[in-house]
Amino acid sequence: MNKKLSIIMIGIFVFLTLAVFAQAATITSGLTSGKVVLDVDYGNLKKDDKDNTTLDLSALSLILANKGNTSETVALSLNSVTTGYTLKLSNSSLTIGNGTSQTVTLNANVPINVDSYNPEDEKLNSIGKLKVGSTEYTIQTKVKSKLELDEIKVYVDSKKEDTLDSTGDKIQDIRPGSKIELKFDVRNKFDDDYKDGDIKDIELNVKFKDNDDEDDFDEDLDEDADEFDLDAGEKDNSISIKFTVPGKADEKTYDLVVSLEGKDDNGAKHYVTWDIELDVDRKKDDVQLEKVSLTNSNFKCVRSSTLRTTLTNYGSNSHKDAALSIYSKGLNLNYNFQDITLDEDPTEDDNSYSKVIPFIVGDTQKAGTYYLEVRGYIDNNKRVAYKS
């Protein structure tokens, strides 16, 4: 064998040796996206834990597998552990036969004032490093929120239409002009005996994922939502927001984000985030009485009033033969307006038709309750809207 060939073979041998060595034991089970993630649930805090500032977690099992051709001894160590956390491994080294695996457990003691996982920023707390041989894994904690949103009840024009859960349901077949009310069932999941489990100053936020969609509605959906508190173990189903789908809303699906945020007595923040969809549908021939109001409806000292009414086209087609009637037999009112043009485009001025009608109730009018009927029509005589 010549010298050049010997050098080549030695090089091949060294390469193969390094290749086998590179197949060191690695963690094959127990990781989350390549990291060691410890689940933290403050719901395990009980009445007897009232003076504790930390919580012992259940041990996390990690499986190390040796896929190499020889037995291997692997050193394990914990590094850069964040102050306030205590981490402990069941083994500082393991000898793993080729083609076999072994389990190592990681125990942790963690503070109880760390914020819960926030789905909106998706960040976890990094608290140290686990070194296995020459490979280093980041150790993180994922704190479970003790705020829970059980469900959202959906009311459309005062009628219950649906109940949403956390799977990302859609509020379907909503018309422009519809009055929407969302009622939230919110729960504090701390043990009701745990004295530091009250969650205070809970904020409800409902917003659009797309800022352009917010412009369509011209308002903050959650502007009427007040902050509220929940004692440990308490549930509240009275939290609600109301909004009206504007006439200019596009026929499409609007993506909404519902979020809750509050702070417990230990200083930890708790977050909840849901994604829901609002499906706006412009139906054909959808003409509505958008506004019907009286400046005065109780005729005692003041015997005059003004009726204001607006007929609006929320539908997908225009009308050139809409009509509006205002009638009260008892008050001797009878108005009819025909051949009204209602454009389908909500940005056009003739998308709606308004009338202001002043009237006076005579001194001889008998006391009683009188009904005033307002009707909207298309095709001049097909009634599509009515208010009394």
Side-chain angles (χ1 to χ4, degrees):
M1 182 180 298
N2 60 44
K3 184 176 180 180
K4 185 176 181 180
L5 182 58
S6 298
I7 293 173
I8 292 173
M9 293 187 67
I10 291 171
I12 293 173
F13 174 75
V14 171
F15 174 78
L16 291 174
T17 301
L18 289 174
V20 171
F21 179 77
Q23 294 184 19
T26 57
I27 298 176
T28 58
S29 179
L31 297 179
T32 302
S33 300
K35 296 179 175 63
V36 178
V37 178
L38 301 171
D39 291 321
V40 181
D41 188 351
Y42 293 150
N44 294 325
L45 293 166
K46 305 296 181 184
K47 181 178 181 180
D48 295 338
D49 296 315
K50 61 182 181 179
D51 297 322
N52 288 357
T53 59
T54 60
L55 175 69
D56 287 326
L57 304 186
S58 300
L60 176 66
S61 296
L62 302 167
I63 297 177
L64 279 67
N66 181 1
K67 298 182 179 179
N69 297 322
T70 61
S71 179
E72 183 179 356
T73 298
V74 184
L76 300 98
S77 62
L78 296 166
N79 305 304
S80 305
V81 178
T82 301
T83 302
Y85 292 81
T86 302
L87 302 177
K88 184 178 180 181
L89 288 168
S90 59
N91 303 80
S92 58
S93 66
L94 288 172
T95 300
I96 309 173
N98 57 302
T100 65
S101 61
Q102 289 199 39
T103 300
V104 62
T105 58
L106 175 63
N107 289 86
N109 179 271
V110 301
I112 59 175
N113 62 350
V114 179
D115 296 347
S116 79
Y117 172 71
N118 185 352
E120 287 199 81
D121 62 29
E122 298 182 336
K123 292 181 180 178
L124 298 182
N125 303 310
S126 294
I127 63 168
K129 302 284 187 180
L130 168 62
K131 193 170 185 181
V132 178
S134 60
T135 304
E136 201 167 50
Y137 300 90
T138 299
I139 303 173
Q140 296 178 322
T141 57
K142 185 176 183 179
V143 180
K144 184 177 181 181
S145 175
K146 302 318 294 175
L147 263 181
E148 184 173 89
L149 181 55
D150 286 341
E151 62 184 18
I152 302 174
K153 296 184 178 70
V154 182
Y155 294 80
V156 180
D157 297 325
S158 300
K159 180 182 177 182
K160 185 179 178 183
E161 293 291 341
D162 205 352
T163 299
L164 310 182
D165 58 28
S166 61
T167 58
D169 284 342
K170 179 183 292 188
I171 307 173
Q172 296 184 344
D173 299 328
I174 301 300
R175 299 188 304 170
S178 294
K179 292 178 172 58
I180 309 298
E181 181 177 13
L182 304 179
K183 290 187 176 181
F184 303 85
D185 282 1
V186 186
R187 186 189 301 272
N188 181 337
K189 295 289 287 182
F190 273 108
D191 186 280
D192 56 8
D193 287 331
Y194 180 57
K195 77 173 186 67
D196 291 325
D198 297 347
I199 302 179
K200 307 288 182 59
D201 302 327
I202 302 170
E203 296 180 5
L204 169 66
N205 188 278
V206 182
K207 62 184 180 181
F208 294 95
K209 281 189 175 181
D210 188 332
N211 291 333
D212 291 339
D213 290 345
E214 187 172 329
D215 293 339
D216 285 354
F217 278 70
D218 291 332
E219 63 177 327
D220 294 327
L221 298 186
D222 55 355
E223 62 181 0
D224 296 326
D226 296 325
E227 292 184 358
F228 60 99
D229 302 334
L230 282 176
D231 293 340
E234 183 183 9
K235 179 179 179 180
D236 193 336
N237 57 10
S238 66
I239 311 302
S240 68
I241 64 166
K242 298 178 181 179
F243 61 93
T244 300
V245 180
K248 66 178 183 178
D250 291 332
E251 185 175 37
K252 70 174 195 177
T253 297
Y254 290 87
D255 294 316
L256 303 176
V257 179
V258 177
S259 60
L260 291 162
E261 177 185 334
K263 182 182 289 188
D264 67 29
D265 289 338
N266 292 314
K269 292 182 180 180
H270 298 264
Y271 302 94
V272 178
T273 299
W274 279 19
D275 291 334
I276 60 176
E277 296 178 335
L278 182 68
D279 187 24
V280 176
D281 183 20
R282 287 186 174 273
K283 300 182 183 298
K284 184 180 178 182
D285 299 339
D286 186 10
V287 173
Q288 301 178 39
L289 286 164
E290 182 179 16
K291 179 188 295 184
V292 176
S293 64
L294 288 169
T295 56
N296 177 37
S297 60
N298 192 349
F299 301 98
K300 290 184 178 180
C301 299
V302 179
R303 309 287 288 184
S304 63
S305 185
T306 299
L307 172 68
R308 301 177 185 274
T309 182
T310 300
L311 189 66
T312 301
N313 183 7
Y314 291 117
S316 59
N317 56 325
S318 297
H319 295 278
K320 294 184 179 180
D321 49 10
L324 174 69
S325 73
I326 299 165
Y327 175 76
S328 175
K329 181 178 180 180
L331 296 176
N332 196 30
L333 298 177
N334 189 8
Y335 294 90
N336 291 281
F337 307 94
Q338 293 185 317
D339 298 321
I340 299 169
T341 297
L342 294 176
D343 196 283
E344 67 182 63
D345 187 348
T347 64
E348 295 293 331
D349 291 339
D350 58 358
N351 175 249
S352 62
Y353 176 82
S354 297
K355 291 300 295 184
V356 178
I357 300 175
F359 64 95
I360 297 174
V361 175
D363 293 337
T364 59
Q365 187 80 36
K366 292 182 179 180
T369 299
Y370 296 87
Y371 289 94
L372 190 153
E373 298 178 344
V374 182
R375 296 180 173 91
Y377 301 86
I378 58 173
D379 301 332
N380 278 321
N381 57 14
K382 180 181 177 182
R383 193 179 84 180
V384 291
Y386 173 83
K387 286 190 178 181
S388 174

